[in-house]
């Protein structure tokens, strides 16, 4: 079961591309920009299809509204495009970032971007063990290191460095699984929760993430967007198993997310201060998604509690989306596609805020400004 949270990091993920305005290079010069996407099921575009794992989305009706595949499942955990897909389109990217494990992730395709995200993945290597296989953040960066060397071979060292530093956006949306599929599952996580206080666990997450982001910086990444963890206590799965009313959310997961988010904001400020030439943009997914859930009718939705595709309980929130699931007819009226992930309609609204939104949701600049930034 893929409890990847949705929203969680909603992030953002988003990632996108950086349309760096110059098309005058000969080598790779026609490349407008690239997205290098790290994260979990919110932005996985098919890596888990190539892993022996219990967390997969390459089954119907996932992808039913994804036009490039003619409505066939691709491994995206939603009915259509992910936030990363939508942001990339809006920023002028010609192609979606190719999943690293896809055999097509070779040659010039990698200059448009590569997606390393994996359903079930987390900041900690133990996270998601329930799914047997998934790519943790450390492994995702190991894979980018391989891509980085390939870009050197394609462009030569000097142009490769310029491509990575100026024309590429690094999107990181991760952290939800560290709570949903690690800390909140004490037995499966080998008692980590018994031995660690919430603050101790959060400090561990931040310490690991600091090292991971620093490692990307050392590999020449300079433009980052980092999504915080969304209101994971409000996903249909959590509301169903806790038998809540429609307007209620589970307190503990949300409290943990807020503890982590507070420390993440401080970490991002420190990274901006301490890593010369880098820009870290903070995506406040928690407040963005909470706004959508609280005021769903204002945005044209009819429910922010019930999964469009799922089974079990009041909110169809227990059994993940698959061929035998109950499927709603008005997919664009549901905030949630399945027990854990937003619908394409919700992803469109989230992406819009990341691209052009208010500083309370995206700071110190939005993604169009980050794309156009020339260090």
């Amino acid at each position: 079961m893929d409890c990847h949270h949705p929203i969680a990091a909603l992030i953002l993920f988003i990632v996108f591309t950086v349309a760096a305005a110059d098309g005058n290079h000969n080598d790779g010069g026609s490349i407008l920009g690239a997205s290098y996407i790290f994260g979990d099921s919110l932005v996985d575009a098919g890596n888990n299809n190539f892993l022996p794992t219990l967390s997969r989305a390459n089954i119907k009706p996932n992808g039913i509204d994804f036009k490039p595949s003619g409505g066939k499942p691709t491994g995206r955990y939603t009915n259509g495009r992910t936030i990363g897909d939508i942001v990339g389109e809006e920023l002028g990217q010609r192609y979606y970032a190719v999943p690293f494990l896809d055999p097509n992730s070779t040659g010039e395709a990698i200059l448009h971007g590569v997606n390393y995200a994996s359903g079930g993945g987390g900041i900690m290597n133990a996270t998601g063990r329930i799914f047997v296989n998934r790519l943790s953040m450390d492994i995702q960066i190991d894979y980018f290191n391989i891509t980085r060397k390939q870009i050197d071979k394609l462009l030569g060292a000097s142009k490769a460095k310029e491509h990575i530093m100026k024309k590429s956006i690094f999107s990181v949306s991760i952290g939800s699984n560290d709570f949903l599929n690690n800390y909140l599952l004490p037995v499966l996580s080998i008692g980590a929760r018994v031995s660690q206080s919430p603050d101790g666990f959060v400090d561990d997450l931040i310490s690991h993430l600091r090292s991971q982001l620093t490692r990307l910086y050392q590999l020449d990444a300079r433009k980052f967007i980092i999504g915080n963890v969304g209101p994971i206590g409000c996903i249909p799965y959590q509301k169903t198993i806790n038998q809540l009313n429609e307007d209620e959310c589970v307190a503990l997961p949300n409290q943990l997310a807020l503890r982590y988010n507070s420390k993440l904001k401080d970490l991002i400020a420190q990274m901006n201060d301490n890593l010369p030439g880098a820009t870290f943009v903070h995506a406040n997914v928690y407040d963005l998604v909470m706004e959508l859930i609280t005021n769903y009718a204002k945005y044209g939705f009819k429910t922010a509690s019930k999964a469009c595709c799922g089974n079990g309980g009041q909110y169809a929130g227990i059994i993940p989306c698959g061929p035998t699931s109950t499927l709603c007819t008005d997919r664009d009226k549901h905030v949630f596609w399945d027990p854990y992930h937003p619908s394409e309609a919700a992803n469109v609204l989230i992406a819009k805020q990341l691209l052009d939104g208010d500083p309370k949701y995206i700071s110190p600049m939005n993604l169009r400004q980050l794309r156009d930034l020339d260090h």
Side-chain angles (χ1 to χ4, degrees), residues 36 38 100 110 114 116 137-153 160 164 170 212 215-221:
Y36 296 96
F38 302 83
F100 178 83
I110 68 173
V114 179
Y116 306 90
M137 187 65 180
D138 280 338
I139 294 171
Q140 292 181 37
I141 299 171
D142 287 345
Y143 285 165
F144 174 70
N145 194 25
I146 294 171
T147 302
R148 181 70 189 79
K149 294 184 171 100
Q150 290 170 333
I151 295 171
D152 269 346
K153 283 187 183 148
I164 300 291
F170 288 75
Q212 289 159 349
R215 197 172 154 211
L216 284 172
Y217 176 84
Q218 288 164 345
L219 291 167
D220 295 327

Side-chain angles (χ1 to χ4, degrees), residues 61-78:
N62 289 296
I64 190 170
D65 298 309
F66 190 68
K67 294 188 175 65
S69 68
K72 296 191 174 114
T74 62
R76 287 167 169 82
Y77 293 75
T78 184

Side-chain angles (χ1 to χ4, degrees), residues 254-307:
N254 280 358
Q255 287 163 1
L256 290 169
L258 288 169
R259 281 186 196 222
Y260 168 79
N261 290 346
S262 170
K263 300 263 179 86
L264 177 69
K265 195 169 183 184
D266 293 342
L267 172 66
I268 290 173
Q270 290 163 19
M271 303 299 266
N272 274 323
D273 287 344
N274 298 333
L275 295 180
T279 301
F280 287 82
V281 170
H282 175 255
N284 182 4
V285 174
Y286 188 99
D287 286 351
L288 182 48
V289 175
M290 194 58 101
E291 163 67 18
L292 222 50
I293 289 171
T294 307
N295 299 309
Y296 63 88
K298 174 176 151 188
Y299 299 97
F301 294 102
K302 74 171 196 188
T303 176
S305 308
K306 192 165 186 196

Side-chain angles (χ1 to χ4, degrees), residues 17-273:
T17 247
V18 156
D22 53 282
N24 338 342
H25 289 163
N26 296 324
D27 305 280
S30 59
I31 307 295
L32 281 172
S35 319
Y36 296 96
I37 302 175
F38 302 83
D40 53 32
S41 57
L42 283 169
V43 286
D44 186 344
N47 279 311
N48 278 25
N49 299 352
F50 301 95
L51 290 174
T53 177
L54 299 177
S55 176
R56 279 195 176 178
N58 59 342
I59 51 171
K60 292 183 175 181
N62 289 296
I64 190 170
D65 298 309
F66 190 68
K67 294 188 175 65
S69 68
K72 296 191 174 114
T74 62
R76 287 167 169 82
Y77 293 75
T78 184
N79 58 306
R81 295 165 296 164
T82 66
I83 298 168
D85 295 331
I86 297 160
V87 171
E89 288 173 14
E90 284 292 315
L91 292 182
Q93 193 172 0
R94 294 177 200 168
Y95 306 99
Y96 296 136
V98 61
F100 178 83
L101 294 178
D102 190 309
N104 294 320
S105 65
T106 58
E108 296 225 341
I110 68 173
L111 298 177
H112 297 283
V114 179
N115 185 320
Y116 306 90
S118 172
I123 294 168
M124 309 298 280
N125 289 319
T127 291
R129 190 178 282 143
I130 182 175
F131 304 119
V132 184
N133 254 315
R134 72 281 165 213
L135 307 178
S136 69
M137 187 65 180
D138 280 338
I139 294 171
Q140 292 181 37
I141 299 171
D142 287 345
Y143 285 165
F144 174 70
N145 194 25
I146 294 171
T147 302
R148 181 70 189 79
K149 294 184 171 100
Q150 290 170 333
I151 295 171
D152 269 346
K153 283 187 183 148
L154 283 166
L155 298 181
S158 165
K159 286 201 165 111
K161 197 159 189 160
E162 182 180 11
H163 175 78
I164 300 291
M165 294 176 108
K166 296 192 172 179
K167 298 190 171 193
S168 301
I169 290 182
F170 288 75
S171 154
V172 179
S173 46
I174 204 158
S176 317
N177 284 311
D178 292 290
F179 296 108
L180 291 172
N181 293 307
N182 185 336
Y183 193 75
L184 292 169
L185 295 178
V187 178
L188 293 165
S189 60
I190 318 190
R193 192 170 162 200
V194 176
S195 61
Q196 262 190 312
S197 68
D199 281 334
F201 184 71
V202 165
D203 287 345
D204 246 10
L205 288 179
I206 293 294
S207 168
H208 277 78
L209 185 61
R210 176 186 284 108
S211 299
Q212 289 159 349
L213 295 176
T214 302
R215 197 172 154 211
L216 284 172
Y217 176 84
Q218 288 164 345
L219 291 167
D220 295 327
R222 291 296 181 270
K223 298 183 183 188
F224 295 85
I225 169 168
I226 315 293
N228 67 10
V229 171
I232 47 180
C234 302
I235 62 178
Y237 173 73
Q238 289 285 340
K239 290 174 86 148
T240 301
I241 63 170
N242 288 280
Q243 300 182 308
L244 296 188
N245 294 331
E246 237 181 304
D247 59 351
E248 294 179 306
C249 295
V250 188
L252 178 60
N254 280 358
Q255 287 163 1
L256 290 169
L258 288 169
R259 281 186 196 222
Y260 168 79
N261 290 346
S262 170
K263 300 263 179 86
L264 177 69
K265 195 169 183 184
D266 293 342
L267 172 66
I268 290 173
Q270 290 163 19
M271 303 299 266
N272 274 323
D273 287 344

